[in-house]
Amino acid sequence: MQTLLLSALVGPFVLSAVLAAIGAGDRRVVGWIVGIGRAISVSAAFALVAFAMGGPPKPLGTARLFRVDALSALVACCVAVVGAIGLSFGPGAPGSVHDTPAMRRVFQAYGNVFVLAMLLAVTVNSVALMWVAIEATTIASALLVPLHRSKASVEASWKYLLIGSVGIALAFAGTVLAYFDFVTITGLRQTALGWPLLMDKAPALDPGLLRLAFVFLLVGYGTKAGLAPMHTWLPDAHSEAPAPLSAMMSGVLLAVAQYAILRWKAVVDSTPGGAAFTSQVLLAIGLFSLLIGALSLVRQRSYKRLLAYSSVEHSGLICLGFAFGPAGVFASLLHMINHALAKSSSFLLAGRILGRYGSTEIADVRGLMRTMPATGTLFAAGVMALMGLPPFGLFVSEFLLFRAGFLSGHIWETGVALVIAGIGFVGLASHLLRMLYGTPPDGVVSGERDTWALVPIVVSVAALVVLGLFLPHAVTTLLGRIVEGMPG
């Protein structure tokens, strides 16, 4: 049954990519096929979550290439939901009348490959195939950054590709180090790259070599996660990329990279003294990312770059949670869900604002609540959620995260993180207020268009409110099962 669900999860994205690549059929008919396929994929993701909560994971597929446990199911569900929404807003979607046929084909083909690669990264049973899938996300998304061709977008794409490739090369070096340590000590070659066996044999591996490997892996996958100081590709790529791509990259690609970091953290934590080492490293890089993200928020002039630096800040917070023990991991995973919903919605709304005002400069956007009342209200809700305000879910996850920091004995680190988060709060609030109110620039038309497109965003904001008011039993059970699977 799980194999069938996994096929239903990834199959529609394969079909959509092929249909877009060959430019097949009537656009309306293809649109219905793709839409139904995405609904099937999202349904399969939720069904996999239900299976993951029901018992221990089993290898899937004829060659046992796949394995879906609670952590895989959680991230895969986030990817399927945000991917389906993001692709529905891009070129080729209803209402995208200004996009050329070539742009529609490119976006839908590579966009579906991008989502497919993220789904594979979190469901494959092998550390090597996970690395390959994450590398594939870099290639597919880098091709989409310059969809609206300009000198700045091409430069941003190359910068993203080069820095991302360096990062993924470092992750490869860390993987190879861990592999040779495993093979040298256990003598097992055929199954050396599978997660279950690696976790089983981890206590016998060389702690020093694994720690060195973790540093490479953290820097490598941390580059994809937008952790400072490897984050420099992120603001440029997001400021030039189409809004739906930014929604997917910031909403769930960062989560996929954090998934890889958490998997490897579990391996290193199984060795003597490993947990203390990973905690110290994650604390350092988490605090630094939080600081860089928060300070950069204050001085931003572009609202797309503002959202990008907010991702650096939240990625740092998630890393901090990983360092705060089991309660911190619980809070970080909840934060990952909330961030995926809030950031993807905010970027999609930023695309609507750009379409109306024709500028990404904060100074050029005034009177948003008058010109686009529904978009402005939802954008305010998304940014307020990112600020950590109630009644949104990020308030709860940040509260649980800082609480875990204090309870785990990291008093000073948590206190410093709170002060830095306050700086980011002020930065986001001041920019948001400048955009919402004031006199709209001359020539900017008032009124909403394509209001149907706001429906998925309304649902996302509603989900954020629900997660802020109470934690559903299914969510706490799923996150609890993930935490139980982590080394003590």
Short mmCIF file of all heavy atoms in Angstrom, two decimals, residues 100-143:
data_model
loop_
_atom_site.label_atom_id
_atom_site.label_comp_id
_atom_site.label_asym_id
_atom_site.label_seq_id
_atom_site.Cartn_x
_atom_site.Cartn_y
_atom_site.Cartn_z
N THR A 100 4.85 33.98 -22.20
CA THR A 100 4.95 33.37 -23.52
C THR A 100 4.81 31.86 -23.41
O THR A 100 5.04 31.28 -22.34
CB THR A 100 6.31 33.71 -24.15
OG1 THR A 100 7.34 33.07 -23.36
CG2 THR A 100 6.55 35.21 -24.18
N PRO A 101 4.44 31.17 -24.50
CA PRO A 101 4.35 29.70 -24.46
C PRO A 101 5.67 29.05 -24.03
O PRO A 101 5.66 28.05 -23.31
CB PRO A 101 3.99 29.35 -25.90
CG PRO A 101 3.27 30.56 -26.42
CD PRO A 101 3.95 31.73 -25.77
N ALA A 102 6.79 29.63 -24.48
CA ALA A 102 8.09 29.05 -24.09
C ALA A 102 8.31 29.15 -22.58
O ALA A 102 8.80 28.21 -21.95
CB ALA A 102 9.21 29.77 -24.84
N MET A 103 7.94 30.28 -22.01
CA MET A 103 8.09 30.45 -20.56
C MET A 103 7.21 29.46 -19.81
O MET A 103 7.61 28.89 -18.79
CB MET A 103 7.73 31.89 -20.16
CG MET A 103 8.74 32.93 -20.61
SD MET A 103 8.16 34.62 -20.38
CE MET A 103 7.99 34.68 -18.61
N ARG A 104 6.00 29.23 -20.32
CA ARG A 104 5.10 28.27 -19.65
C ARG A 104 5.69 26.86 -19.67
O ARG A 104 5.67 26.15 -18.67
CB ARG A 104 3.74 28.27 -20.35
CG ARG A 104 2.99 29.57 -20.21
CD ARG A 104 1.79 29.59 -21.12
NE ARG A 104 1.20 30.93 -21.19
CZ ARG A 104 0.51 31.38 -22.23
NH1 ARG A 104 0.31 30.61 -23.29
NH2 ARG A 104 0.02 32.59 -22.21
N ARG A 105 6.21 26.49 -20.82
CA ARG A 105 6.77 25.13 -20.94
C ARG A 105 7.98 24.97 -20.03
O ARG A 105 8.12 23.97 -19.33
CB ARG A 105 7.16 24.85 -22.39
CG ARG A 105 5.99 24.63 -23.32
CD ARG A 105 6.45 24.32 -24.71
NE ARG A 105 7.30 23.12 -24.77
CZ ARG A 105 7.89 22.70 -25.87
NH1 ARG A 105 7.75 23.38 -27.01
NH2 ARG A 105 8.61 21.61 -25.86
N VAL A 106 8.87 25.97 -20.04
CA VAL A 106 10.08 25.88 -19.23
C VAL A 106 9.73 25.82 -17.74
O VAL A 106 10.24 24.98 -16.99
CB VAL A 106 11.01 27.08 -19.51
CG1 VAL A 106 12.13 27.16 -18.48
CG2 VAL A 106 11.59 26.97 -20.91
N PHE A 107 8.81 26.71 -17.31
CA PHE A 107 8.48 26.74 -15.89
C PHE A 107 7.81 25.44 -15.45
O PHE A 107 8.17 24.86 -14.41
CB PHE A 107 7.56 27.92 -15.57
CG PHE A 107 7.23 28.01 -14.10
CD1 PHE A 107 8.11 28.61 -13.21
CD2 PHE A 107 6.06 27.47 -13.61
CE1 PHE A 107 7.83 28.67 -11.86
CE2 PHE A 107 5.77 27.52 -12.25
CZ PHE A 107 6.65 28.12 -11.38
N GLN A 108 6.83 24.98 -16.23
CA GLN A 108 6.11 23.78 -15.81
C GLN A 108 7.00 22.53 -15.90
O GLN A 108 6.90 21.64 -15.05
CB GLN A 108 4.86 23.60 -16.68
CG GLN A 108 3.80 24.67 -16.44
CD GLN A 108 3.28 24.68 -15.00
OE1 GLN A 108 3.17 23.65 -14.35
NE2 GLN A 108 2.96 25.87 -14.50
N ALA A 109 7.88 22.46 -16.90
CA ALA A 109 8.75 21.28 -17.03
C ALA A 109 9.77 21.24 -15.89
O ALA A 109 9.84 20.26 -15.13
CB ALA A 109 9.47 21.32 -18.38
N TYR A 110 10.57 22.31 -15.75
CA TYR A 110 11.61 22.30 -14.71
C TYR A 110 11.02 22.46 -13.31
O TYR A 110 11.59 21.96 -12.34
CB TYR A 110 12.63 23.40 -14.98
CG TYR A 110 13.52 23.09 -16.17
CD1 TYR A 110 13.49 23.89 -17.30
CD2 TYR A 110 14.37 21.99 -16.17
CE1 TYR A 110 14.28 23.60 -18.40
CE2 TYR A 110 15.17 21.70 -17.26
CZ TYR A 110 15.11 22.51 -18.38
OH TYR A 110 15.90 22.22 -19.47
N GLY A 111 9.88 23.15 -13.21
CA GLY A 111 9.25 23.29 -11.90
C GLY A 111 8.80 21.95 -11.35
O GLY A 111 8.98 21.64 -10.17
N ASN A 112 8.21 21.13 -12.21
CA ASN A 112 7.79 19.79 -11.76
C ASN A 112 8.99 18.90 -11.45
O ASN A 112 8.95 18.11 -10.51
CB ASN A 112 6.90 19.14 -12.82
CG ASN A 112 5.46 19.63 -12.75
OD1 ASN A 112 4.70 19.24 -11.88
ND2 ASN A 112 5.09 20.52 -13.67
N VAL A 113 10.06 19.03 -12.24
CA VAL A 113 11.29 18.27 -11.94
C VAL A 113 11.86 18.71 -10.59
O VAL A 113 12.35 17.89 -9.80
CB VAL A 113 12.32 18.47 -13.07
CG1 VAL A 113 13.69 17.90 -12.66
CG2 VAL A 113 11.85 17.82 -14.35
N PHE A 114 11.80 20.00 -10.33
CA PHE A 114 12.28 20.55 -9.06
C PHE A 114 11.53 19.93 -7.87
O PHE A 114 12.13 19.45 -6.91
CB PHE A 114 12.10 22.07 -9.09
CG PHE A 114 12.47 22.79 -7.83
CD1 PHE A 114 13.71 22.60 -7.23
CD2 PHE A 114 11.57 23.66 -7.22
CE1 PHE A 114 14.04 23.27 -6.06
CE2 PHE A 114 11.90 24.34 -6.07
CZ PHE A 114 13.13 24.14 -5.48
N VAL A 115 10.20 19.92 -7.96
CA VAL A 115 9.40 19.33 -6.88
C VAL A 115 9.66 17.84 -6.77
O VAL A 115 9.79 17.28 -5.67
CB VAL A 115 7.90 19.62 -7.11
CG1 VAL A 115 7.05 18.92 -6.04
CG2 VAL A 115 7.63 21.11 -7.09
N LEU A 116 9.74 17.18 -7.92
CA LEU A 116 10.01 15.73 -7.92
C LEU A 116 11.33 15.41 -7.23
O LEU A 116 11.42 14.47 -6.43
CB LEU A 116 10.03 15.23 -9.37
CG LEU A 116 10.38 13.76 -9.59
CD1 LEU A 116 9.32 12.87 -8.97
CD2 LEU A 116 10.52 13.46 -11.09
N ALA A 117 12.37 16.21 -7.53
CA ALA A 117 13.69 15.97 -6.92
C ALA A 117 13.62 16.15 -5.40
O ALA A 117 14.24 15.39 -4.65
CB ALA A 117 14.72 16.93 -7.52
N MET A 118 12.85 17.15 -4.94
CA MET A 118 12.72 17.34 -3.48
C MET A 118 12.01 16.15 -2.85
O MET A 118 12.40 15.69 -1.76
CB MET A 118 11.96 18.64 -3.19
CG MET A 118 12.76 19.90 -3.47
SD MET A 118 11.97 21.40 -2.82
CE MET A 118 10.64 21.62 -3.99
N LEU A 119 10.97 15.64 -3.51
CA LEU A 119 10.25 14.48 -2.97
C LEU A 119 11.16 13.26 -2.90
O LEU A 119 11.14 12.50 -1.93
CB LEU A 119 9.01 14.19 -3.82
CG LEU A 119 7.87 15.20 -3.71
CD1 LEU A 119 6.78 14.88 -4.73
CD2 LEU A 119 7.29 15.19 -2.31
N LEU A 120 11.96 13.07 -3.93
CA LEU A 120 12.88 11.92 -3.94
C LEU A 120 13.94 12.06 -2.85
O LEU A 120 14.33 11.08 -2.22
CB LEU A 120 13.54 11.78 -5.32
CG LEU A 120 12.61 11.39 -6.47
CD1 LEU A 120 13.37 11.34 -7.79
CD2 LEU A 120 11.94 10.04 -6.21
N ALA A 121 14.41 13.29 -2.65
CA ALA A 121 15.47 13.51 -1.64
C ALA A 121 15.04 13.06 -0.26
O ALA A 121 15.87 12.58 0.52
CB ALA A 121 15.86 14.99 -1.62
N VAL A 122 13.76 13.21 0.06
CA VAL A 122 13.30 12.88 1.42
C VAL A 122 12.69 11.49 1.53
O VAL A 122 12.30 11.09 2.62
CB VAL A 122 12.30 13.93 1.94
CG1 VAL A 122 12.97 15.29 2.00
CG2 VAL A 122 11.05 13.99 1.08
N THR A 123 12.61 10.77 0.42
CA THR A 123 12.02 9.42 0.50
C THR A 123 12.98 8.31 0.09
O THR A 123 12.64 7.14 0.28
CB THR A 123 10.76 9.33 -0.39
OG1 THR A 123 11.09 9.73 -1.73
CG2 THR A 123 9.64 10.20 0.13
N VAL A 124 14.14 8.64 -0.49
CA VAL A 124 15.08 7.58 -0.86
C VAL A 124 15.73 7.01 0.39
O VAL A 124 15.87 7.69 1.42
CB VAL A 124 16.16 8.10 -1.85
CG1 VAL A 124 15.56 8.37 -3.21
CG2 VAL A 124 16.86 9.32 -1.29
N ASN A 125 16.15 5.77 0.27
CA ASN A 125 16.70 5.03 1.42
C ASN A 125 18.21 5.16 1.52
O ASN A 125 18.82 4.59 2.41
CB ASN A 125 16.31 3.55 1.28
CG ASN A 125 16.52 2.79 2.56
OD1 ASN A 125 16.50 3.36 3.65
ND2 ASN A 125 16.73 1.49 2.45
N SER A 126 18.82 5.89 0.59
CA SER A 126 20.28 5.93 0.48
C SER A 126 20.78 7.36 0.68
O SER A 126 20.23 8.31 0.12
CB SER A 126 20.70 5.41 -0.89
OG SER A 126 22.01 5.80 -1.21
N VAL A 127 21.87 7.49 1.44
CA VAL A 127 22.46 8.82 1.62
C VAL A 127 23.04 9.37 0.32
O VAL A 127 23.05 10.58 0.09
CB VAL A 127 23.56 8.78 2.70
CG1 VAL A 127 22.98 8.39 4.03
CG2 VAL A 127 24.69 7.84 2.32
N ALA A 128 23.51 8.46 -0.55
CA ALA A 128 24.09 8.89 -1.82
C ALA A 128 23.00 9.39 -2.77
O ALA A 128 23.15 10.43 -3.43
CB ALA A 128 24.85 7.74 -2.47
N LEU A 129 21.88 8.65 -2.85
CA LEU A 129 20.79 9.09 -3.73
C LEU A 129 20.15 10.37 -3.20
O LEU A 129 19.68 11.19 -3.99
CB LEU A 129 19.75 7.98 -3.85
CG LEU A 129 20.20 6.74 -4.62
CD1 LEU A 129 19.09 5.69 -4.65
CD2 LEU A 129 20.61 7.10 -6.04
N MET A 130 20.14 10.55 -1.89
CA MET A 130 19.63 11.81 -1.35
C MET A 130 20.51 12.96 -1.83
O MET A 130 20.00 14.01 -2.23
CB MET A 130 19.63 11.76 0.18
CG MET A 130 19.09 13.03 0.82
SD MET A 130 19.33 13.09 2.61
CE MET A 130 21.09 13.40 2.71
N TRP A 131 21.82 12.75 -1.81
CA TRP A 131 22.74 13.79 -2.28
C TRP A 131 22.48 14.11 -3.76
O TRP A 131 22.44 15.27 -4.17
CB TRP A 131 24.18 13.32 -2.09
CG TRP A 131 25.19 14.31 -2.57
CD1 TRP A 131 25.72 15.35 -1.86
CD2 TRP A 131 25.77 14.37 -3.88
NE1 TRP A 131 26.60 16.05 -2.65
CE2 TRP A 131 26.65 15.48 -3.89
CE3 TRP A 131 25.63 13.61 -5.03
CZ2 TRP A 131 27.38 15.83 -5.01
CZ3 TRP A 131 26.36 13.96 -6.16
CH2 TRP A 131 27.22 15.07 -6.14
N VAL A 132 22.29 13.06 -4.56
CA VAL A 132 22.03 13.25 -5.99
C VAL A 132 20.73 14.05 -6.19
O VAL A 132 20.67 14.96 -7.02
CB VAL A 132 21.94 11.88 -6.71
CG1 VAL A 132 21.46 12.06 -8.15
CG2 VAL A 132 23.29 11.18 -6.69
N ALA A 133 19.70 13.68 -5.44
CA ALA A 133 18.42 14.37 -5.60
C ALA A 133 18.52 15.84 -5.20
O ALA A 133 17.95 16.71 -5.88
CB ALA A 133 17.36 13.67 -4.75
N ILE A 134 19.27 16.13 -4.13
CA ILE A 134 19.41 17.53 -3.72
C ILE A 134 20.23 18.32 -4.75
O ILE A 134 19.95 19.49 -5.03
CB ILE A 134 20.03 17.61 -2.31
CG1 ILE A 134 19.04 17.04 -1.28
CG2 ILE A 134 20.41 19.04 -1.94
CD1 ILE A 134 19.54 17.04 0.15
N GLU A 135 21.22 17.68 -5.35
CA GLU A 135 21.96 18.33 -6.43
C GLU A 135 21.03 18.63 -7.62
O GLU A 135 21.12 19.68 -8.25
CB GLU A 135 23.11 17.42 -6.88
CG GLU A 135 23.87 17.90 -8.11
CD GLU A 135 24.61 19.21 -7.89
OE1 GLU A 135 24.62 19.70 -6.76
OE2 GLU A 135 25.15 19.75 -8.88
N ALA A 136 20.10 17.69 -7.88
CA ALA A 136 19.15 17.89 -8.98
C ALA A 136 18.24 19.10 -8.71
O ALA A 136 17.85 19.81 -9.65
CB ALA A 136 18.30 16.64 -9.17
N THR A 137 17.93 19.34 -7.45
CA THR A 137 17.11 20.53 -7.15
C THR A 137 17.85 21.82 -7.51
O THR A 137 17.23 22.78 -7.96
CB THR A 137 16.73 20.59 -5.65
OG1 THR A 137 17.91 20.76 -4.85
CG2 THR A 137 16.00 19.34 -5.20
N THR A 138 19.16 21.81 -7.32
CA THR A 138 19.95 23.00 -7.67
C THR A 138 19.88 23.28 -9.17
O THR A 138 19.64 24.42 -9.60
CB THR A 138 21.42 22.81 -7.26
OG1 THR A 138 21.50 22.49 -5.87
CG2 THR A 138 22.23 24.06 -7.54
N ILE A 139 20.07 22.22 -9.96
CA ILE A 139 20.08 22.40 -11.42
C ILE A 139 18.72 22.86 -11.92
O ILE A 139 18.60 23.81 -12.71
CB ILE A 139 20.50 21.08 -12.09
CG1 ILE A 139 21.93 20.71 -11.67
CG2 ILE A 139 20.40 21.19 -13.61
CD1 ILE A 139 22.35 19.32 -12.08
N ALA A 140 17.66 22.18 -11.46
CA ALA A 140 16.31 22.51 -11.96
C ALA A 140 15.91 23.93 -11.57
O ALA A 140 15.36 24.68 -12.40
CB ALA A 140 15.30 21.50 -11.40
N SER A 141 16.18 24.32 -10.33
CA SER A 141 15.76 25.66 -9.89
C SER A 141 16.64 26.76 -10.48
O SER A 141 16.16 27.85 -10.77
CB SER A 141 15.76 25.75 -8.37
OG SER A 141 16.99 25.30 -7.83
N ALA A 142 17.94 26.46 -10.68
CA ALA A 142 18.83 27.48 -11.27
C ALA A 142 18.39 27.83 -12.69
O ALA A 142 18.55 28.97 -13.14
CB ALA A 142 20.27 26.98 -11.26
N LEU A 143 17.84 26.85 -13.40
CA LEU A 143 17.37 27.12 -14.76
C LEU A 143 16.12 28.00 -14.77
O LEU A 143 15.81 28.63 -15.79
CB LEU A 143 17.08 25.79 -15.47
CG LEU A 143 18.32 24.95 -15.82
CD1 LEU A 143 17.91 23.56 -16.25
CD2 LEU A 143 19.14 25.64 -16.90
#
